[in-house]
Structures are given as structure tokens and as C-alpha cells.
Amino acid sequence: MAGVVARSLNMAVRTASRRGIHVSAAVRGDHDMTDPIEHATGVEKYELLAKQAGNDDPFFLKSYSRGAATKEEPCIVNAMDTFRLVGCVCHEDDTIIKWMWLCEGAPKRCACGYWFSLKVHPAPEKFAMPL
């Protein structure tokens, strides 16, 4: 009986190991993928075209240093709307971000004493996005 079980297990291992491997994509190494800009549409294509033109932050998402940020010369925060949520790391060794809402035309002071002002830029038209 033990020989029959061992023989059937041996057959199961042999049939499982005979499966073929499909490698046609690896064989055709002479073909490259096309440019991703050709396949992108809408917001993704807008962002790729802006980066290609030299604007690496078309939606104002990168963080930056606030500088002096006094009441006379506040730190300018760019936005594509009339309001934006802004986070301030008051001291370099802080682990907490202090959040505040900025509105167009109303400079705001953080708890640490730095001033912020909002600068509104026109957003791209939804129906004028590149195809």
C-alpha cells in the first residue's frame, strides 16, 4: 500500500513539473515601450507635458522653506483655488505640524509668529485637458 501512495505522489510531481513556461515577452527584447506621454490623457498628460516644459511642480504640491515671513513680506503660498490648507513646522526639530486655512486676500499668522499669504493661480480647464 505504501508503494502505491509513493508511486501516485511521484506521478503527481512529474505532471506538475511538466508545465510549460511562457516567455514570449522576454524573447522580443528588441521592442521598446512607447513614450508614456502618448498613452496619457487628462490630468496625467497635463502634468507630464508641464514637467517636459520644465515645470516640475505644476500643481504646487512641493514643500518649501518659509524664509523671513514677516507681516510686511509674508511667505507666499501658491494655490489653484481661493483657499488652501497649509502646514507649518514652527521649529526644525518639531515632530508636529501646525495646520491652518489660508484664504485669498487675508494674510494669516501662525502660532510661531510667521505670516502667510495666498497667491491664486488659474487652474487648468477640465474640458481643455490634453487628449
Side-chain angles (χ1 to χ4, degrees), residues 23-33:
V23 291
S24 65
V27 173
R28 300 189 55 96
D30 57 338
H31 291 19
D32 291 334
M33 292 295 292

Side-chain angles (χ1 to χ4, degrees), residues 8-120:
S8 63
L9 281 174
N10 193 12
M11 287 297 290
V13 170
R14 271 195 243 152
T15 57
S17 65
R18 281 191 232 164
R19 292 184 185 161
I21 298 174
H22 185 68
V23 291
S24 65
V27 173
R28 300 189 55 96
D30 57 338
H31 291 19
D32 291 334
M33 292 295 292
T34 58
D35 189 22
I37 294 177
E38 294 178 18
H39 296 284
T41 59
V43 176
E44 181 184 7
K45 189 165 190 171
Y46 176 82
E47 185 176 10
L48 290 172
L49 290 173
K51 286 183 180 182
Q52 189 178 37
N55 183 4
D56 62 337
D57 191 21
F59 297 111
F60 311 111
L61 298 176
K62 292 191 176 182
S63 63
Y64 54 89
S65 179
R66 63 182 169 246
T70 62
K71 187 173 184 177
E72 293 78 29
E73 292 182 28
C75 181
I76 304 297
V77 177
N78 298 306
M80 291 186 171
D81 208 340
T82 58
F83 56 91
R84 186 163 187 177
L85 184 66
V86 178
C88 179
V89 180
C90 297
H91 304 286
E92 288 186 26
D93 55 343
D94 277 354
T95 57
I96 298 172
I97 300 173
K98 293 179 180 82
W99 298 96
M100 62 185 154
W101 283 99
L102 280 180
C103 295
E104 183 182 19
K108 194 163 189 177
R109 182 176 177 250
C110 179
C112 61
Y114 290 101
W115 285 84
F116 297 90
S117 180
L118 193 69
K119 180 179 179 184
V120 179

